[in-house]
Amino acid sequence: MQKRSVLEARGAETIGQQVCLEGWVRTRRDSKGGFSFIELNDGSCLANIQVIADDKLPNYENEIKHLTPGCSIRVVGEVKESQGKGQSTEVQAAEVFLYGTADAETYPLQKKRHTFEKLREWAHLRTRSNTFGSVFRVRNRVSFSIHQFFQERGFLYVNTPIITASDCEGAGEMFRVTTLDVQEPPKVNGKVDFSKDFFARPAFLTVSGQLEGEIFATSLGRVYTFGPTFRAENSNTSRHLAEFWMVEPEIAFADLEANMEVAEAFLKRIFTDVMNDCADDMAFFNERIEPGILDTLQGIVETEFLRCSYTDAVEILQKSGHQFEYPVSWGMDLQSEHERYLTEQHFKRPVILHDYPRSIKPFYMRCNEDGKTVRAMDVLVPKVGEIIGGSQREERLDVLESRMAEQGLNAQDYWWYLDLRRYGTVPHSGFGLGLERVLQFITGMGNIRDVIPFPRTPGWAEF
């Protein structure tokens, strides 16, 4: 007898084998013929396996006939060919052991449909539902695919700090980390004296591992970070989280063109792996959540991404005759509606926009000779718009110092970052991909809070 997952036991090759399955009851249906059909799921796949338990089992009357959704059981029995539709196997139970009951009156996940908003309140149980089981199997595959892509190309995985004193984006929307008494903090000249704090200076939760990633890229060549990042933006939209996961590769001796090539190959690899290895889950999303998502993903994989400068894109938008909510002008940060128009209506394919105005981009992006633009890039895909943002980094010390002053940053706070330009500076590039953003795109889930296990948003930090 072998312990098997439901996924394994559903395979025709297990017919005739004695197996042990463990999982949670989805449904139980009793027959007048003296046996019960139990639908069992263990999270290994979307589908359940049917277990047939007859009245010869010693606990049939007192336990099996009282099983309700949510009960946890162990089943020992033989895998048999199934006569039922949609399944090739079923299990004839020789033993059913009850691990734990689930009170039918209070167990939230009954057969009635619940909204995704309601299920967020039960985040400790929602992964037992079909939708969220599929979401997190896809999340697992995407995460694995990210590591595979970079490891196979010789990138080193780097763990950058979660607590930092630098603001990579310059946005200032950071969570402060302190052990000071918030009721009566020490003060000097009327201001909080952070020299008395744990780190003897102001400290925050990171918004990006990019700057530290550059340290490793300028010594180890090719690296990537993959970890949690935080932003204290008081936004309650369906696309914002206070805690989210970022993938950030940094590549030494690489210009913006090389950066674009890596970003394109990266997305195509993720989408290909998900479609190949999560076929049932993706079929579910394609049928129930976002009709056509499989065609969209396949189209991206099979299509070469078009390159277009920001300046050309603005001209296309201005001449389009399309009525946008936000009128287009050179120097503005393009909105999602503009990006989607470019990918869905004008080019009808993924687009990489590049060379954005320096006034709307962070200090670390390489300045172009025109004095107006920087070597920035955004990868745009249909239905979403921007999915990856990146740039060639500014490797010239004097230009970087000038950009810091231009944006009101204290160069002393970034002394180590400037040192990378003093000692053996090299051209280098990188980009960032928000894991939850790409998962939202892949699955078609309407709210980003439904693709992370325990969402952190303004006013909400449960679980």
Side-chain angles (χ1 to χ4, degrees):
M1 181 190 68
Q2 289 183 291
K3 183 175 282 193
R4 295 278 196 177
S5 67
V6 167
L7 176 63
E8 292 170 324
R10 283 179 55 83
E13 65 277 5
T14 61
I15 292 173
Q17 293 182 9
Q18 294 291 320
V19 298
C20 172
L21 303 176
E22 293 165 312
W24 292 267
V25 173
R26 286 290 176 85
T27 64
R28 187 203 83 247
R29 178 167 54 89
D30 301 325
S31 167
K32 293 179 180 177
F35 54 89
S36 298
F37 298 103
I38 302 167
E39 291 289 323
L40 186 70
N41 190 282
D42 65 356
S44 60
C45 61
L46 174 64
N48 307 322
I49 194 165
Q50 181 170 273
V51 175
I52 301 170
D54 62 37
D55 57 8
K56 297 184 183 65
L57 296 173
N59 60 340
Y60 182 76
E61 290 293 338
N62 66 332
E63 285 186 339
I64 293 172
K65 286 186 72 175
H66 298 281
L67 292 175
T68 56
C71 289
S72 51
I73 61 173
R74 179 181 69 229
V75 175
V76 175
E78 182 181 348
V79 180
K80 299 198 169 190
E81 185 176 357
S82 177
Q83 305 304 314
K85 287 184 179 180
Q87 57 189 31
S88 58
T89 65
E90 59 190 23
V91 175
Q92 180 68 50
E95 172 193 323
V96 175
F97 176 80
L98 176 63
Y99 282 116
T101 60
D103 181 55
E105 296 297 319
T106 59
Y107 183 60
L109 303 184
Q110 301 296 339
K111 292 190 81 171
K112 62 173 281 192
R113 281 181 90 85
H114 297 290
T115 64
F116 292 152
E117 289 80 6
K118 191 64 181 174
L119 287 170
R120 270 176 232 139
E121 298 176 18
W122 305 320
H124 60 307
L125 296 172
R126 69 175 178 169
T127 44
R128 296 188 190 181
S129 68
N130 285 338
T131 300
F132 289 97
S134 291
V135 164
F136 293 110
R137 278 187 295 272
V138 168
R139 184 182 173 108
N140 168 73
R141 188 60 187 95
V142 170
S143 299
F144 185 38
S145 195
I146 288 165
H147 285 294
Q148 284 181 304
F149 176 86
F150 289 118
Q151 292 292 328
E152 289 168 7
R153 285 160 177 75
F155 284 69
L156 298 182
Y157 175 40
V158 174
N159 303 115
T160 52
I162 289 175
I163 298 174
T164 180
S166 60
D167 181 358
C168 175
E169 298 297 328
E173 297 167 330
M174 303 177 75
F175 287 102
R176 187 180 298 279
V177 177
T178 182
T179 57
L180 294 177
D181 183 344
V182 295
Q183 302 296 329
E184 297 183 11
K187 293 188 177 181
V188 174
N189 299 326
K191 295 184 177 181
V192 175
D193 182 7
F194 285 104
S195 69
K196 300 291 194 298
D197 207 348
F198 188 91
F199 295 106
R201 62 189 300 181
F204 309 90
L205 296 180
T206 185
V207 297
S208 169
Q210 178 206 313
L211 302 188
E212 293 86 356
E214 288 186 53
I215 293 174
F216 280 81
T218 52
S219 54
L220 301 178
R222 297 174 142 228
V223 303
Y224 69 104
T225 74
F226 185 14
T229 50
F230 309 84
R231 184 160 293 170
E233 184 177 354
N234 191 15
S235 176
N236 264 307
T237 78
S238 62
R239 286 172 56 80
H240 286 88
L241 290 166
E243 176 184 77
F244 50 97
W245 283 64
M246 286 290 292
V247 187
E248 298 174 292
E250 289 292 325
I251 316 164
F253 308 103
D255 59 13
L256 190 66
E257 284 67 33
N259 204 30
M260 292 180 191
E261 290 172 10
V262 174
E264 179 175 348
F266 178 50
L267 282 180
K268 289 180 175 180
R269 171 61 182 274
I270 290 173
F271 298 159
T272 299
D273 286 347
V274 165
M275 287 189 290
N276 287 343
D277 297 337
C278 298
D280 289 346
D281 294 314
M282 289 308 302
F284 173 84
F285 291 124
N286 193 61
E287 181 184 336
R288 301 287 186 89
I289 305 294
E290 180 72 17
I293 187 59
L294 285 174
D295 289 340
T296 299
L297 294 176
Q298 193 63 47
I300 290 172
V301 168
E302 294 174 352
T303 304
E304 185 176 346
F305 291 16
L306 190 139
R307 274 68 166 162
C308 175
S309 73
Y310 168 93
T311 299
D312 288 345
V314 167
E315 188 176 343
I316 289 167
L317 292 166
Q318 288 175 331
K319 291 180 177 179
S320 68
H322 189 85
Q323 290 297 311
F324 295 107
E325 183 180 350
Y326 296 92
V328 180
S329 61
W330 198 96
M332 71 178 292
D333 209 351
L334 296 182
Q335 302 296 310
S336 177
E337 61 171 336
H338 308 135
E339 297 168 341
R340 291 188 60 178
Y341 177 85
L342 292 169
T343 60
E344 295 170 22
Q345 296 186 49
H346 185 80
F347 293 116
K348 294 182 171 61
R349 62 167 63 192
V351 183
I352 304 180
L353 296 188
H354 56 85
D355 295 308
Y356 280 74
R358 63 186 284 165
S359 59
I360 61 172
K361 290 297 181 181
F363 70 93
Y364 53 75
M365 295 186 175
R366 193 182 203 277
C367 292
N368 286 317
E369 301 308 316
D370 62 11
K372 297 189 299 181
T373 60
V374 291
R375 296 293 277 158
M377 71 170 199
D378 282 345
V379 181
L380 315 182
V381 295
K383 300 188 177 184
V384 171
E386 181 207 338
I387 200 166
I388 281 178
S391 71
Q392 184 171 336
R393 314 312 189 191
E394 182 56 77
E395 85 279 12
R396 298 163 295 185
L397 178 61
D398 59 334
V399 179
L400 185 59
E401 288 177 324
S402 172
R403 284 283 281 159
M404 285 181 164
E406 190 179 297
Q407 297 194 4
L409 298 174
N410 184 356
Q412 279 302 109
D413 292 340
Y414 298 87
W415 64 270
W416 50 272
Y417 190 68
L418 294 169
D419 269 2
L420 301 179
R421 279 73 181 168
R422 291 189 179 98
Y423 308 122
T425 189
V426 298
H428 59 289
S429 298
F431 62 81
L433 170 78
L435 176 62
E436 287 76 25
R437 286 277 177 91
V438 79
L439 284 168
Q440 206 179 352
F441 175 63
I442 290 171
T443 61
M445 295 295 285
N447 197 308
I448 200 166
R449 303 174 194 200
D450 295 328
V451 294
I452 192 168
F454 306 104
R456 299 291 182 250
T457 55
W460 186 261
E462 196 66 68
F463 307 102

